[in-house]
Amino acid sequence: MNLARREPRWAVAFTVLLALILQALPLPTWLEAVRPSFVGIVVIYWAIYAPHAGGIFAPWLAGLALDVFKGEVLGQNALAIALVAYIAMSFHQRLRNQTLIQQSLFVFAMLTLNEAVIWGIEGWSGHAVSSAWRWIQPMIGAMLWPFVAMLVGRTHVRS
Amino acid sequence: MAVFGSGSRIGGGRGPSFGFRFFCYAVVSVVLMFYDRRGGWLDTARYGLQAAVYPLQLAVNSPSAAWRWMQESFTTRETLQKEVDTLRNQLRDQQLMTLRQAALESENATLRGLTTAMPEVIEKRLIGEVINVEVSTLRQRLLVNRGGNSGVHRAQPVITGEGVLGQVYRIGPFSSEIILITDSEHALPVQVLRSGVRSIALGTGRATALELPYVPQNYDVKVGDVLVTSGLDGVFPFGLPVARITRVERDPTQPLAQIYASPLARIEADREVLFIWARPGHPAAPASPEAMTVEEPKPAAPVKPAPKPARKPAPQQAPQETPPATTPGTEAAPTATPGTEVTPAPAPSPDNGAAPPPAEVPST
């Protein structure tokens, strides 16, 4: 009971909302092409450092919001993000002991998986957008990971 | 799941494992996707969800809106004076252009054998403001602050002062998502204003280019030609300006020419768009689904004679030297397929004489 109260639920909600806003912020075209999935990065962070705060529900809800936001097939981002969160949670103990640089490799793999799942679902629903940028975005995300992790880390006390 | 399941035991006794919960969410997602794809009841859920994310979208929009407001409130007198001058000049030019409008309209009516001039095809319009939100990185979409509550409906034409912008793709109560004609999933039946050649303009995914991939080599299309909507799609009324041809490549070894055009509507310049309602029954109104399928079922046959003469007025607006009436049809035929998957409205079957206006035309 006591443990549950220490879960940084508000921090999760706040940062995920912030990530959603970052995702929707209008940017110049050249910046827009390389914008990584901020929601994905933040979800991976919480999956590693506070897997019980948001559980899988928070990532799933964020993904659903993203679907409505982007006007895509309902559930596609939700499924992809929930999958990423689940895998990250499963490895969270091992990942916590790694440095941020080592973690960014995992983040890269997860963001690529995220894109691959979305791409696959888009292909199934007949709306696939094939663009090389899609596969560059996870790389950018992995590079941003140490900074995002440090920033998000300030919102709660790590146990 | 058992492979990844180890992490779930950390919190001990906090309900089901992560693996099980993930499985549940995955099932829900797949069910959602399945029903969203099929359409139906989920559309109403989506309508509500659009309303739920609308505040978030407004929040995202607010910094740029505030910035624009600041810029507007701190403009100097000179800038405003200059703007008033240009607007005044523009107004004079426009007035000159419309000066003979009434005379031309009655002349047009005489040519068509009608006793009175037709009213304007655009019956009603609604101004919407673009919400500055990144809808999707890889697509050409826009969010506008008008939705179902303002009477906006799906597949409604959206234009700007310069030309066709796109059509309504999804609606919420307070907002709607516009798919631009440059989106790679959009196809628009068009006609060259000068020569009457019909084709389909496909979006390329880039904001500045449209592609006309289904025009044969020997058709009369030149750089600088203006494309207008042909009204065969059942969405857009006839004659709205769409784009200007920028490049025509004719490779003698290929059966089709490669033609590119740049859209006339600019969205960066002003943040306002127009939703339009076409007057039903007008010769320039978009072809209704009934008028298109009229050839198929037998019982509808008696209705046919009526739309036939009504068809005549429309081509008259284009010069007479159009290519043989069959060719646009045959040329548009292969494009019917991209049209179907894109345009929310029923795709045209263009070679059936494509009688757009229903029977009520002669009565006007």
Side-chain angles (χ1 to χ4, degrees), chain A residues 9-123:
Chain A
R9 285 176 201 278
W10 284 110
V12 172
F14 174 72
T15 50
V16 168
L17 202 67
L18 209 64
L20 270 173
I21 288 175
L22 270 178
Q23 201 94 63
L25 211 62
L27 290 177
T29 331
W30 60 275
L31 253 178
E32 193 186 296
V34 296
R35 164 164 42 198
S37 170
F38 285 109
V39 175
I41 298 175
V42 169
V43 159
I44 293 171
Y45 179 88
W46 289 118
I48 294 174
Y49 288 104
H52 287 286
I56 289 175
F57 177 68
W60 186 80
L61 201 66
L64 199 67
L66 218 50
D67 284 328
V68 181
F69 231 78
K70 292 186 172 188
E72 282 166 352
V73 178
L74 270 191
Q76 86 177 26
N77 277 300
L79 177 64
I81 295 255
L83 178 68
V84 164
Y86 169 60
I87 296 176
M89 280 171 191
S90 309
F91 289 120
H92 77 275
Q93 280 174 311
R94 198 180 306 173
L95 285 162
R96 269 190 209 185
N97 295 328
Q98 293 180 348
T99 63
L100 287 175
I101 308 295
Q102 286 172 316
Q103 284 172 355
S104 63
L105 203 67
F106 174 81
V107 171
F108 172 68
M110 285 303 104
L111 292 181
T112 308
L113 175 74
N114 182 36
E115 290 296 332
V117 170
I118 293 171
W119 191 55
I121 295 169
E122 276 179 354

Side-chain angles (χ1 to χ4, degrees), chain B residues 78-95:
Chain B
E78 287 94 289
T79 338
L80 286 173
Q81 193 62 49
K82 223 176 271 172
E83 205 177 318
V84 168
D85 284 345
T86 39
L87 286 176
R88 221 173 253 157
N89 284 340
Q90 270 179 15
L91 180 67
R92 200 177 46 224
D93 291 351
Q94 301 272 349
Q95 276 175 332

